[in-house]
Structures are given as structure tokens and as C-alpha cells.
Amino acid sequence: MKIDRYELVKNNIYNVYLSNGEVLTLDENVITDNELLLKKEIDTTLYNKLKSDNDIISLCNMAIKYISIRLRSIKEVRDYLSKKCDNSYYIDMAIDKLIGYKYLDDDRFTKAFINDKINLSNDGPFKIKKLLLELDFNESDIDNYLNNFDNSLWEEKLIKIVNKKKNLMNNKSYYMFITKLKSYLFNLGYDKYMIDNILSNIKYESNALEKDFNSALKKYKDDKNKLINYLLRKGYSYDEINTKLKNLVWGFFN
């Protein structure tokens, strides 16, 4: 097949008109990489190569758009391309090209990912590690990156989170506040002992008992046991409840 002419269709995309009436739509890189401008004819081998090269470049271009939104790991890009193409060989070739072009770099991605999580989220080290493991990163590599950060950094993040939550959760008993906060911080990926240490030094003031006691009194004014059980479920101690009962209502627990 002879090449009759080239026609620019859009940026970097050309139609290549062949003597048999067929039109190949090729990326500019495919044309230059195969030195097509120097050739007058295309044999079957080159024809097949042009089509496969173009499919691979198309995958690269799709991936580059995907990466342009934010940095991506190799696994993320592979999963993305697998939804666009069922040819694993083409995907592998596209991934190799993207690595060669420096569009993909898992080392750079890991550092950026951890820094973003530290600076832009409340996530702790264990959650960050879990997220990276889900992206197929090596556990020892993740640990090496995370070990670059001193415990004081995580402690500072914890204190900020606790202080913010303390203001938002001051309508709960101390017990409920601590219980819910421990669960929240643990799910964020912080060390249990570090959480306990930070919370052991926290000062928590709340008017929740007064509010909950008045609410319980309206509901159970004729049933002391139900009133007490209601407040116990709210996380108040017997001593706290007994004090309120003595001072405001009856003289129980003498």
C-alpha cells in the first residue's frame, strides 16, 4: 500500500490516506517514531505495527489526562486503563512509556501522597499506610517514608483534632466524649497509646449533665430507677447522678 497524502485532523492527529482507499488515523508520535514521512509504502508488518502503536499512544494520552487532575500511582493508572481497554499487553506497554516519560513515578507519588495527607487531612500514620497498601505499594517502603516523621508531628495533629472536637462535642458527658473521640481517632489511624496519652491530659468542661438531667426528670419524674438508668446510658457516673439527685430533687443514696 502506498501513502497518498497526510491530513491534519486536530492537534497531533493525522489521517493517512492509502492507495487502497483506506484511511489510517494516527498520532503524530506514531508517524515520527516509525519514520513514516520518509517512506512511500506500508507493508503488512508495518501496517499492523502502526495500528498497535497508535492504540498504545491513545492509552498513554488517556492516562496523561487522568494524571493531569492529580498525581496517580501505577496501580491507579493501570486500573483506569483496564476500563478503557481489554488488551493487557497494550496497557503494559503504555505504562512502560509513561514511566519512561516520567509521568508515572511511584516514589514521587508516595512522598506527595504522604505529605498531602499530613498537611491537608486529619489522617494518621496507620490510615495513610492502609491507603497506600491498597494501591499495591510495598509495606517496607511505606514504613521507611513514614519513619521520616517524628512522633511529635502526629501528637501535634492529634491535639489540634482533639481541641476542635472538644468544642463541637461539649454537649456530651465526659465518658461519652472520651469514648466517641477514642473511636474517631483510632479510625483516623492514630496509635492507641498516643491517643490515650493525649486524652489523659485533656480538660473537658460541659453543661451536658444539667441538660440531660432536666430532660430525664421530665420523662421519668415518677420513676427514680428509670431516671438513673437513662443517665447511666448517657455516660454519667453514679456519683454525678447522686449529686444531682441530692441537690435538686430527692435525698437518695444517703
Side-chain angles (χ1 to χ4, degrees):
M1 293 173 286
K2 291 184 179 181
I3 300 173
D4 287 340
R5 62 189 177 91
Y6 296 89
E7 178 187 35
L8 178 64
V9 180
K10 55 183 178 180
N11 289 344
N12 303 319
I13 303 297
Y14 288 82
N15 280 339
V16 181
Y17 293 86
L18 305 179
S19 57
N20 64 354
E22 185 174 356
V23 180
L24 285 177
T25 301
L26 301 177
D27 188 278
E28 180 182 52
N29 290 309
V30 175
I31 294 172
T32 56
D33 289 348
N34 287 279
E35 298 181 339
L36 211 56
L37 295 175
L38 301 177
K39 299 172 181 177
K40 299 296 184 183
E41 294 192 7
I42 298 176
D43 60 20
T44 302
T45 301
L46 180 56
Y47 176 86
N48 292 331
K49 184 175 184 299
L50 290 172
K51 290 182 72 69
S52 62
D53 284 359
N54 200 68
D55 287 340
I56 293 167
I57 286 294
S58 294
L59 289 175
C60 286
N61 290 334
M62 282 188 277
I64 290 169
K65 289 182 180 179
Y66 182 57
I67 295 167
S68 68
I69 300 171
R70 66 165 175 81
L71 282 179
R72 307 282 183 177
S73 69
I74 291 174
K75 181 182 185 304
E76 284 181 297
V77 172
R78 188 180 299 280
D79 290 345
Y80 174 76
L81 293 180
S82 295
K83 297 175 183 178
K84 307 292 184 180
C85 173
D86 58 6
N87 189 316
S88 59
Y89 172 76
Y90 284 2
I91 293 172
D92 287 342
M93 292 297 292
I95 294 290
D96 287 344
K97 283 183 177 293
L98 291 166
I99 292 172
Y101 297 154
K102 304 298 182 183
Y103 282 107
L104 286 179
D105 184 333
D106 272 358
D107 182 70
R108 184 180 66 207
F109 175 88
T110 305
K111 292 177 182 176
F113 184 90
I114 292 174
N115 285 328
D116 282 351
K117 287 297 180 183
I118 289 173
N119 295 316
L120 304 175
S121 81
N122 287 331
D123 293 346
F126 296 125
K127 184 175 180 180
I128 294 172
K129 179 177 179 177
K130 178 178 178 293
L131 293 171
L132 286 170
L133 286 173
E134 290 172 354
L135 293 173
D136 283 354
F137 286 90
N138 181 274
E139 185 172 6
S140 62
D141 290 339
I142 300 170
D143 288 337
N144 286 336
Y145 286 121
L146 288 172
N147 287 337
N148 290 325
F149 300 95
D150 191 82
N151 278 345
S152 61
L153 178 140
W154 305 114
E155 290 173 352
E156 288 176 9
K157 283 176 66 69
L158 266 177
I159 291 170
K160 288 181 180 179
I161 297 169
V162 169
N163 285 333
K164 183 176 181 180
K165 285 294 181 181
K166 184 172 65 174
N167 294 328
L168 295 173
M169 297 171 65
N170 63 358
N171 62 339
K172 301 185 182 300
S173 67
Y174 176 77
Y175 173 80
M176 292 296 289
F177 167 71
I178 292 295
T179 301
K180 287 182 175 292
L181 193 53
K182 278 186 178 181
S183 176
Y184 174 73
L185 295 174
F186 186 76
N187 288 333
L188 278 179
Y190 290 93
D191 178 77
K192 178 182 180 299
Y193 298 102
M194 187 180 291
I195 293 171
D196 289 341
N197 182 56
I198 295 295
L199 293 182
S200 67
N201 297 312
I202 190 174
K203 293 181 179 180
Y204 178 71
E205 296 180 1
S206 170
N207 61 357
L209 176 55
E210 186 74 25
K211 179 182 176 182
D212 287 337
F213 183 82
N214 290 333
S215 176
L217 192 58
K218 290 179 182 178
K219 294 176 68 174
Y220 308 113
K221 61 182 178 180
D222 297 323
D223 194 325
K224 177 189 69 175
N225 290 329
K226 286 185 177 180
L227 182 146
I228 292 171
N229 287 331
Y230 173 84
L231 292 172
L232 287 173
R233 290 195 299 272
K234 287 285 188 176
Y236 300 105
S237 68
Y238 275 109
D239 287 342
E240 289 177 300
I241 297 169
N242 187 34
T243 299
K244 293 297 293 181
L245 289 170
K246 283 181 177 179
N247 293 342
L248 298 179
V249 190
W250 307 291
F252 301 131
F253 308 122
N254 290 325

